[in-house]
Amino acid sequence: MCGAVFSLVICFVEVSIAGEGVGGPEWTTILADGSNRTGKIVGFNEGKGLTFRSGQKEEFIPVSNILEMFSAQEGSCLNVDSYVEVVFENNDLLLGSIRQNTITGLRFQSFSFGLFDIKLGLVKSVRFIEEGNSVELLDKFKTVREKSKERNDVDCLVLKNGEVLYGIIEELGPRRVYIGSELGKIDIDSKRIYGVILTSNVEVDSNEDKNVKGILETVSGEVMKVAFSGFESSKLVGLTQCGKVHVKLADMRRIRFINGAMIYLSDIKPESIEQIPFFDVVYPCKLDKSQGGNPMMMNGESYRKGIGVHSGSKITYYLGEKYDKFYCDIGIDDEVGDRGNVAFVVLGDGEELYRSKKVTGADQIIRLVIKIMTVRRLVLLVEFGDEFHIRDHANWGSARVVRKIQ
């Protein structure tokens, strides 16, 4: 049953993958100490680690030491004229098609993860995406979705003509959607629908993350949390909130391991956040976004994780001497061009660990690696530069702390 799979006990077995083209595509593996390896996956040993082959050399790497793995595989999802996007309450994301509605939700064929029976209570939103959908329609959907967070007793339908209907989604199928409203049960052709936002009858398993070992991102752009159980014929096997999956290594683009080796600061609640106002203007910190609310980008390099701040910001994290190093790429976001003028400062228990020169949008990315073995409190400061506060869209890109490698 969906939502219950994480209570299962997973048994790991030793698997060896042999033959030509061992392990599918080559992977770049980022380790907790900042080093990396490039090679093919050739084995999985009792859930303890992966065996990599680079040329004729094989190396066993404990899972506890792996942060992320990247493949250079390209996706093909954009070649599809139309598809359905399902976003879950736990932020999993599937792309594919709705096969039929079920008693508890819908049967969904994912591009990469296979066939699932999905409970509507686990779903946050559904979009029927077609070539030619307008940007205005997407903006309308985002606005309605943001407003829907204020209440949890009604679902929303955004039609392609911009009209919004409110009620309770009773059935969601490939051709028809039924919504209960004050006017009774309304039957709507799915071709008229752009998106569905579900806020009523939400079911979230608070224990789901306990057995999750990684997050898979496929070449089609799908994302799922997985409790790994091994390899079978060049496929990664594991459990998701919607059942067992067998994913081809060739269909995967990134695996992020959840093992305590590394934590992004944007995933940690700060001990405190302070902002020195300039002319009474306060700029709140943005998690995993730039100050302009866009995906973070510096010198053309994009960042999925990080903290977008403004000059005059001070963020304090309590680390308790648990981590070895602080890694971060700093600079001004590309959204302001060559503008901005700030200084980045890192403090450890009040001691200055790093201070940059004045940084502008014309400067290159600065990549930091700072030892923090004895640091209890880590403070990230961005000070005003020579141009007051004008366009000071500063980024702590991929800011993360890692423990000492085993």
Side-chain angles (χ1 to χ4, degrees), residues 61-72:
I61 305 175
V63 168
S64 59
N65 290 339
I66 303 176
L67 302 182
E68 293 185 274
M69 297 170 55
F70 302 90
S71 169

Side-chain angles (χ1 to χ4, degrees), residues 92-227:
D92 281 357
L93 182 149
L94 293 179
L95 304 175
S97 59
I98 298 175
R99 292 304 190 190
Q100 66 184 74
N101 59 297
T102 64
I103 295 176
T104 59
L106 54 97
R107 183 160 293 160
F108 191 84
Q109 181 67 53
S110 159
F111 287 138
S112 301
F113 291 106
L115 190 66
F116 287 123
D117 281 349
I118 301 174
K119 295 175 67 175
L120 280 187
L122 299 174
V123 176
K124 184 187 299 184
S125 66
V126 177
R127 283 198 301 153
F128 296 86
I129 299 174
E130 295 181 351
E131 187 177 6
N133 283 340
S134 67
V135 175
E136 290 77 15
L137 197 54
L138 176 59
D139 290 341
K140 176 78 172 183
F141 181 80
K142 289 180 178 178
T143 300
V144 174
R145 183 175 59 191
E146 193 64 29
K147 290 182 177 179
S148 71
K149 295 178 181 178
E150 300 173 2
R151 55 188 303 184
N152 58 6
D153 60 344
V154 66
D155 301 322
C156 311
L157 272 181
V158 178
L159 304 183
K160 291 179 180 178
N161 64 3
E163 184 180 355
V164 181
L165 302 179
Y166 298 92
I168 304 297
I169 300 297
E170 298 183 4
E171 294 182 39
L172 204 163
R175 297 181 178 83
R176 318 294 299 180
V177 174
Y178 297 89
I179 181 170
S181 70
E182 295 178 351
L183 302 177
K185 188 174 183 178
I186 302 175
D187 172 8
I188 302 175
D189 189 333
S190 62
K191 293 181 179 179
R192 296 179 53 202
I193 301 171
Y194 175 73
V196 181
I197 301 163
L198 298 109
T199 61
S200 64
N201 301 317
V202 172
E203 299 178 21
V204 179
D205 184 353
S206 60
N207 294 316
E208 81 168 60
D209 284 347
K210 290 184 178 180
N211 290 326
V212 171
K213 302 301 180 184
I215 300 175
L216 300 186
E217 179 181 328
T218 72
V219 295
S220 63
E222 298 175 86
V223 180
M224 290 205 85
K225 293 181 179 178
V226 176

Side-chain angles (χ1 to χ4, degrees), residues 350-368:
E351 178 185 351
E352 191 171 289
L353 303 179
Y354 172 81
R355 174 179 289 274
S356 74
K357 63 179 181 61
K358 295 296 173 62
V359 178
T360 73
D363 291 316
Q364 295 298 306
I365 297 170
I366 300 172
R367 305 187 192 277
L368 302 181

